[in-house]
Amino acid sequence: MSEASSLQTGSQMRLYGCPTCGRVSQLLHAVPDGTFLQCPRCATPLYHERPRSLQRTWAYLIAATVLYIPANLLPIMSTSNVFGETLHTILGGIEELRTGGDWLLAVIVFIASIAVPLLKIGALLVLVITAQRRSRWKQVERAQLYRMIEAVGHWSMLDVFVVVLLVGTIRFGPLGGVMPQPGLLAFGAVVVLTMLAAGSFDPRLIWPEEKDDTRHP
Amino acid sequence: MSEDTLGSAPPPPPVTPPTPVTRKWHGPSLVWLVPIVALAVGVALLIRAVLSTGPQVTIDFHSANGLRPGKTEVRYKEVVVGRVEAVTLSEKRDHVQATVRLDRSVSNIAVEDTRFWVVRPRIDTAGVSGIETLFSGAYIGVDAGESTKQRRHFTGLENPPFVLRGEPGRGFVLRTDDLGSLDVGSPILYKRNRVGRVVGYNLDPLIDELSVQIFIEAPYDKLVNPQTRFWNASGVEVSLNSSGLRVDTQTLASVISGGISFERPQGTQGLPPASDGTRFNLFPDRKAALAPPDGPPLRVRMVFDQSVRGLDIDAPVDFLGIDIGVIKAVRLDYDGKRKRFPVEVEAEIYPTRLGAVRNSLRQEGDDETRRDTTLLQRLVQSGLRAQARTGNLLTGQMYVALDFPGKVSKAELDTSTAIPAIPTVPGTLADVQPQIAEIVAKVNKVPFDEIGRNLNETLSQANKAISQLRPEAQASLAEVRRTLQSVQETLQRADRSLFDPSAPIQRNAEQTLVDLQRAAQSLRVLTDYLQRHPESLLRGKPDDAKIPASPASPERR
Ligand SMILES: [Zn+2]
């Protein structure tokens, strides 16, 4: 949606729509710093730009990036049988599938486990950095990117699901079984943190107020 | 919702303003705790992972057989302490290099004198060893060193080390000519209890001898003293020789994987334990192991003018019934002058087995071998001859007997060659066939038919005489006695020829003779009976005819 210069935005008119009950209220008087507004009807916090959205996104994003390293370096599960215990990392599993000839499976696991989290982190970085700079660069595409990140979020949990299923189902007692390993914790945390990051990102930041945009005529 | 564009209509008049609320938190957002926690968790996880992985070492092996990257384990005292990460070929391609990641808990194991080797499953005709490796695959065994100097590159041993460090017990070396079914891990048995194991073996090409390294665990190592005898207790031993069939087994385990037994000879129990690394001989069986020790063997030759079929290598040499040596070689020779094929038999005899005879007949002075040769010379002068004899009629196994056959022409010990030759006399083998034929012929000659006929005749005569002429009955009975006497004489004749003491085979013939004797005895009983009850000859005719048919129980009639 392109801007309509003749129209005023809600924030310019100091109007607040309640996201919970839909009631619109207008701020008539200036409020002191350190106060925030809430809906007079249902007490839902009101704001034009989600407060600290960038901060939160940054925090979750950094946390996700930090944990992405152990998630890929550490084994996510161990399988044991009479031949002994074998540790599996995500990359090792993909390598095994590839050498085993299962190209398609290897690609799927790679996309779900390595590529998607990485792309999510990358895309969120692009979003927060551009939002931070109040950039007006490719706004529509960035909005699409944001929607995509939200949509894809749940699917990168695939590995966690698989491991949890394996742990639960494969139990041979003393003969063998599957045990989760620390890598799985990190991996699951990465997935959750990227989802939180995407969730805390306020897409309105893609559309900064014109008056703030110094580059705009 | 984010954009309130209501078209061209002017905004409605303001409604209730939002309620301002005072913010409770002014500092930076609490959300920053999330990356801090994430960082802490991530770092903790990584540190834990790094801490649990120990040092990486490389080990050179001759072959990568059984080594699988990521799978092959490193075990110390059967505990997994590491894993092979990669196996690469060396630059010169003459060996492989295994990169091993050791566990942190054993990081101090990689020191100067630590040893590594590969334990592989071995399956051969002798059985299976390292059975556990069949399931788990090969693994790398470790023997932790005691040095404090760290080391990262090792050369793997080709065989498991002799003795593991820190394991209580003692190692010994056994010399043998034949490994049998022994292998690394084969048990060492004492009274059929497992007290140790074979830890390795190697062939010394210089002296063509196998050395078997064994390890006896404490406290059983004290059972080994310098006099202890070891023998190969591998499998089931079936031996067919001149003394018959013999079956020996040890424990089932040793039947499967081979084994070594040991025993302390009588009277040596009190000796102090043998020191670590003492060398012993490994005997082929218990009998050989526990036989009194033999001195150096004396090589002798014997030339036979007859077939020695059945005389095998390792057949015994017998001196007046005592096993004093063993046949080492049987060769065919050609005597151009006499146009014959003499057989040259070479044997090793152990003069020490002669015991007191040796000491009393030997001359003082000279070296051992010369003295024993003189001893042999003297024995030959007194009539000692070698004779190939049949030890077992059934199998035809032969042995060589050193004996004093009595009437022999004078002969000397032939010392013209390096190996002295004992003069021989024709052996029993040449005689066996005609002798058997003779026995059969003689047994055939026993006039069984005639005996029966005579008996019948006698009886009918007696019958007739007694029935017709009562006074003549006595004379008839006398005739019966005479006939029976002739039977006895015939049998005695057979007796004499068969019981000739020089006849080498008596057993079977003996049995026949015993039977014949029994028959003769029965006849005697009949005669006695008839003497006592002459009237029995007069009783019912049908019964009379049966008397000779059941002579053994005449009373039961
Ligand atoms: Zn409301």
Side-chain angles (χ1 to χ4, degrees):
Chain A
M1 230 182 275
S2 60
E3 70 207 76
S5 48
S6 56
L7 281 177
Q8 283 192 307
T9 61
S11 67
Q12 283 161 352
M13 295 169 70
R14 315 194 78 170
L15 283 174
Y16 294 87
C18 174
T20 309
C21 66
R23 177 166 190 150
V24 177
S25 41
Q26 191 171 36
L27 187 65
L28 300 172
H29 316 284
V31 286
D33 264 359
T35 36
F36 71 98
L37 306 168
Q38 63 183 38
C39 174
R41 184 156 70 183
C42 68
T44 305
L46 299 175
Y47 41 79
H48 284 130
E49 275 181 14
R50 210 182 294 172
R52 299 180 172 189
S53 159
L54 272 179
Q55 256 192 59
R56 284 164 183 275
T57 315
W58 269 120
Y60 290 132
L61 203 54
I62 289 168
T65 316
V66 163
L67 287 178
Y68 187 77
I69 298 161
N72 281 293
L73 286 183
L74 297 181
I76 58 162
M77 66 169 178
S78 67
T79 54
S80 57
N81 53 25
V82 286
F83 305 114
E85 194 187 55
T86 318
L87 296 168
H88 303 274
T89 59
I90 293 175
L91 279 171
I94 293 167
E95 174 65 14
E96 261 175 54
L97 285 171
R98 191 185 66 80
T99 51
D102 282 320
W103 270 99
L104 197 66
L105 262 179
V107 168
I108 290 172
V109 175
F110 179 80
I111 288 173
S113 308
I114 307 280
V116 167
L118 202 62
L119 285 175
K120 263 172 84 175
I121 291 173
L124 281 166
L125 269 177
V126 169
L127 288 179
V128 285
I129 289 168
T130 50
Q132 185 106 53
R133 297 175 57 192
R134 312 196 75 83
S135 162
R136 306 177 70 93
W137 168 76
K138 290 189 190 245
Q139 283 162 301
V140 178
E141 286 84 351
R142 274 157 59 201
Q144 279 170 353
L145 188 65
Y146 171 75
R147 284 197 295 278
M148 225 164 67
I149 289 168
E150 278 225 297
V152 92
H154 322 280
W155 297 105
S156 48
M157 287 289 272
L158 209 65
D159 290 78
V160 184
F161 284 136
V162 167
V163 174
V164 169
L165 274 176
L166 286 178
V167 170
T169 52
I170 303 183
R171 289 240 182 256
F172 299 127
L175 285 178
V178 178
M179 289 298 291
Q181 292 292 320
L184 190 71
L185 174 71
F187 188 83
V190 169
V191 176
V192 170
L193 286 169
T194 52
M195 284 167 75
L196 284 173
S200 54
F201 180 75
D202 190 340
R204 275 177 287 194
L205 289 169
I206 300 170
W207 313 95
E209 295 292 345
E210 270 171 74
K211 62 169 186 212
D212 301 329
D213 193 349
T214 47
R215 284 171 297 174
H216 201 266
Chain B
M1 242 200 294
S2 54
E3 282 176 68
D4 258 359
T5 44
L6 298 169
S8 51
V15 282
T16 335
T19 326
V21 174
T22 314
R23 209 185 267 177
K24 287 165 194 141
W25 175 257
H26 297 276
S29 172
L30 281 174
V31 80
W32 286 107
L33 283 176
V34 174
I36 291 166
V37 168
L39 193 69
V41 169
V43 167
L45 285 178
L46 283 176
I47 285 175
R48 213 184 78 160
V50 168
L51 281 183
S52 66
T53 42
Q56 195 180 46
V57 297
T58 53
I59 311 166
D60 289 345
F61 288 111
H62 274 223
S63 134
N65 183 11
L67 299 180
R68 287 192 300 161
K71 298 261 184 249
T72 307
E73 293 166 346
V74 180
R75 294 190 200 171
Y76 177 56
K77 298 187 176 191
E78 296 304 312
V79 173
V80 179
V81 296
R83 207 175 281 272
V84 172
E85 283 190 336
V87 180
T88 49
L89 212 56
S90 75
E91 266 177 41
K92 284 182 183 170
R93 281 173 283 174
D94 57 348
H95 63 264
V96 295
Q97 197 170 64
T99 308
V100 165
R101 173 73 67 182
L102 294 173
D103 285 357
R104 191 74 194 175
S105 56
V106 292
S107 57
N108 55 354
I109 214 172
V111 290
E112 200 62 33
D113 53 348
T114 294
R115 294 172 293 180
F116 294 90
W117 66 96
V118 181
V119 182
R120 298 186 173 100
R122 291 168 196 257
I123 312 168
D124 49 38
T125 50
V128 180
S129 64
I131 284 174
E132 72 280 5
T133 59
L134 268 184
F135 299 104
S136 62
Y139 63 88
I140 295 179
V142 194
D143 184 27
E146 282 154 354
S147 163
T148 49
K149 217 171 139 195
Q150 295 280 313
R151 191 170 165 184
R152 288 291 173 264
H153 186 88
F154 297 90
T155 302
L157 305 180
E158 281 315 292
N159 294 302
F162 191 177
V163 179
L164 300 184
R165 284 190 194 85
E167 194 178 3
R170 250 183 284 236
F172 303 102
V173 184
L174 307 178
R175 282 175 301 214
T176 178
D177 291 331
D178 181 16
L179 202 58
S181 53
L182 292 178
D183 203 343
V184 173
S186 292
I188 312 291
L189 305 163
Y190 180 71
K191 296 185 198 276
R192 302 194 189 209
N193 281 298
R194 192 193 170 111
V195 296
R197 62 183 186 275
V198 172
V199 290
Y201 55 83
N202 54 279
L203 179 67
D204 186 341
L206 288 177
I207 51 172
D208 189 17
E209 190 181 75
L210 276 158
S211 291
V212 180
Q213 289 98 44
I214 62 165
F215 182 75
I216 313 262
E217 293 149 19
Y220 309 106
D221 57 333
K222 291 190 179 61
L223 294 170
V224 179
N225 65 35
Q227 286 301 309
T228 296
R229 306 294 171 80
F230 291 86
W231 71 89
N232 199 328
S234 303
V236 182
E237 233 163 65
V238 178
S239 51
L240 185 66
N241 55 28
S242 55
S243 52
L245 188 72
R246 223 181 107 118
V247 183
D248 276 327
T249 60
Q250 279 286 327
T251 62
L252 184 65
S254 71
V255 169
I256 293 170
S257 63
I260 292 173
S261 272
F262 69 89
E263 214 172 287
R264 294 170 297 177
Q266 284 292 316
T268 65
Q269 272 84 345
L271 289 178
S275 60
D276 201 67
T278 308
R279 292 178 79 87
F280 293 94
N281 279 320
L282 180 63
F283 293 93
D285 53 44
R286 182 173 184 272
K287 197 181 151 199
L290 293 181
D294 298 314
L298 181 66
R299 282 228 162 210
V300 293
R301 281 187 305 140
M302 290 153 288
V303 180
F304 293 101
D305 261 339
Q306 68 184 88
S307 159
V308 290
R309 184 186 168 80
L311 188 67
D312 297 326
I313 308 290
D314 289 340
V317 176
D318 172 308
F319 176 70
L320 300 176
I322 298 163
D323 205 347
I324 62 155
V326 57
I327 304 295
K328 285 288 167 190
V330 178
R331 280 186 295 268
L332 197 62
D333 206 352
Y334 177 65
D335 185 345
K337 255 185 271 169
R338 296 190 298 147
K339 297 253 185 320
R340 298 194 76 160
F341 297 91
V343 181
E344 192 179 87
V345 175
E346 210 174 290
E348 271 181 0
I349 60 174
Y350 299 94
T352 46
R353 293 197 192 168
L354 290 172
V357 179
R358 178 175 181 240
N359 294 331
S360 58
L361 281 177
R362 254 169 18 151
Q363 213 153 26
E364 291 303 312
D366 288 340
D367 65 293
E368 285 286 310
T369 319
R370 264 208 74 78
R371 284 160 72 188
D372 287 326
T373 314
T374 347
L375 163 72
L376 207 58
Q377 175 79 58
R378 285 190 175 187
L379 289 170
V380 169
Q381 277 165 359
S382 356
L384 182 87
R385 297 292 181 271
Q387 191 178 36
R389 287 187 187 166
T390 304
N392 191 321
L393 263 188
L394 197 70
T395 60
Q397 297 280 347
M398 290 185 83
Y399 68 101
V400 168
L402 297 181
D403 210 340
F404 300 95
K407 276 185 72 182
V408 284
S409 49
K410 225 171 134 69
E412 290 280 322
L413 185 73
D414 180 6
T415 48
S416 57
T417 53
I419 303 172
I422 300 174
T424 63
V425 289
T428 54
L429 179 89
D431 304 338
V432 164
Q433 300 287 352
Q435 272 170 359
I436 291 172
E438 213 176 305
I439 291 163
V440 171
K442 275 174 184 165
V443 171
N444 275 345
K445 265 188 230 158
V446 175
F448 294 106
D449 286 353
E450 206 182 319
I451 292 167
R453 229 181 8 258
N454 283 354
L455 217 50
N456 257 346
E457 210 175 295
T458 316
L459 289 173
S460 60
Q461 271 176 12
N463 217 6
K464 212 161 62 190
I466 290 163
S467 65
Q468 284 173 2
L469 264 166
R470 200 167 272 274
E472 273 175 279
Q474 287 297 319
S476 290
L477 284 173
E479 203 177 339
V480 168
R481 208 179 301 140
R482 213 164 40 246
T483 315
L484 292 175
Q485 214 161 6
S486 82
V487 169
Q488 230 169 328
E489 261 166 30
T490 317
L491 295 173
Q492 267 166 3
R493 215 163 44 239
D495 226 53
R496 265 204 307 282
S497 50
L498 287 172
F499 271 78
D500 183 355
S502 69
I505 44 155
Q506 299 169 349
R507 305 247 158 204
N508 291 339
E510 217 171 282
Q511 192 55 47
T512 318
L513 288 173
V514 166
D515 291 342
L516 282 173
Q517 261 179 330
R518 214 171 278 153
Q521 258 165 12
S522 304
L523 283 171
R524 248 174 249 140
V525 169
L526 171 67
T527 336
D528 292 344
Y529 182 77
L530 287 176
Q531 269 180 336
R532 272 180 282 129
H533 306 280
E535 74 283 2
S536 66
L537 287 168
L538 302 173
R539 282 204 194 137
K541 276 198 175 186
D543 281 345
D544 284 347
K546 278 180 186 166
I547 289 168
S550 57
S553 55
E555 259 117 26
R556 263 201 277 130
R557 301 182 39 226

